[in-house]
Structure formats: structure tokens, C-alpha cells
Amino acid sequence: MKNQLNRILELITKDKKRTVIIGCSALIIMIAMIVVLVLFLGRSKEKELNQYLEEMGASFYEELYYEQVGKNDEERANFLKDFSDIGLKISLDGLSRYKTEENQEKLDAFINPKTKEPCDSNNTKVVIYPQAPYGKKDYRLEKILVCGFEE
């Protein structure tokens, strides 16, 4: 009887150790998955916001700005070549004033998901570098996103 009791106690002790080991392992795996998800979501949010900046910047330049800088292609080319090196800087605040209703969902997305703070609307911007031959689609676009993702 004493022998059977010792055996039962051994099994219970082994089961407790096994349960603790499995529980700790599961907890470590869950924490690792959460960290990976947070990092992934932060990067995907940053990628999404850069895409929005690119879309809004391209729309602003092609549909509004380009049409207003000259009466014909020659006038536009003469004007735009001065900006091929320094670029045209348009802040998120400036972009928000063009097609506001159409872009509202994009504009509302400019929030850091970790801190819940809005992006800096004056320093978040696109820089458009017109390129020869200075047509409507002849430009290079740089995105500057100031949302605290680097922190």
C-alpha cells in the first residue's frame, strides 16, 4: 500500500513539473507572437501611410498643381525645371485641403497605432521632384512620414 502511495505521489509530482514546463513554454511562445505582431502591425501601418502619402501627392501634383503652373507644356516645363533639384514640398496639412472628402479616410489613418498620437501634419510631407521632359507624370516623389514610428 505504501509502495502504491509513493508511486501515485511520483506521478503527481511528474505531472506538476510537466504542466509547469508546458505552461511556461506556452506563455513564452504567446509573448513572442505578440511582440512579432506588434512589430509587424507597426511596419505595415507605416507602409500603408507611405502609400497614402504617395497616392495623395501624385493626385495633387497631376490633377491640380501641374495644370495650374502654365498655359501650355512649354510654360510648365520652364517653370517646373527650377524645382527638379529642390523639389516641391507639400505637407500632409496641405494635402488635406485637396479632395478632403475623397481623402478623409486616408487622412484619418495618420495616427501612430502604438501611441495613438496623430502624425505631425506639418512635417509629414511629400517632396515632388519634376523630371525632364516635365510632363504630367514625369516626376519622382519622396515621402517623409513623421509619426513616431522610429521611437
Side-chain angles (χ1 to χ4, degrees), residues 96-126:
S96 72
R97 297 166 199 224
Y98 175 68
K99 291 189 173 182
T100 304
E101 287 183 29
E102 184 178 315
N103 289 324
Q104 193 60 54
E105 189 175 323
K106 292 176 185 175
L107 294 166
D108 291 343
F110 281 86
I111 294 176
N112 184 313
K114 290 181 190 174
T115 65
K116 306 296 183 214
E117 293 288 321
C119 299
D120 184 329
S121 64
N122 292 315
N123 292 313
T124 294
K125 61 184 83 173
V126 292

Side-chain angles (χ1 to χ4, degrees), residues 56-84 88 90 95 98-99 128-141:
M56 290 188 299
S59 175
F60 176 86
Y61 181 75
E62 293 173 15
E63 298 170 19
L64 177 70
Y65 192 85
Y66 183 82
E67 297 298 328
Q68 293 182 350
V69 297
K71 295 177 184 162
N72 57 46
D73 290 344
E74 186 179 335
E75 282 183 18
R76 288 186 190 104
N78 286 332
F79 179 82
L80 292 171
K81 71 180 174 185
D82 293 336
F83 295 94
S84 63
L88 301 159
I90 303 104
L95 291 172
Y98 175 68
K99 291 189 173 182
I128 301 167
Y129 298 93
Q131 307 286 291
Y134 305 106
K136 185 182 273 197
K137 297 211 180 258
D138 298 318
Y139 62 90
R140 178 174 55 85
L141 195 139

Side-chain angles (χ1 to χ4, degrees), residues 18-37:
R18 193 175 295 147
T19 302
V20 169
I21 291 170
I22 291 171
C24 287
S25 299
L27 184 62
I28 290 170
I29 290 170
M30 284 176 49
I31 290 171
M33 287 174 53
I34 290 170
V35 168
V36 168
L37 278 174

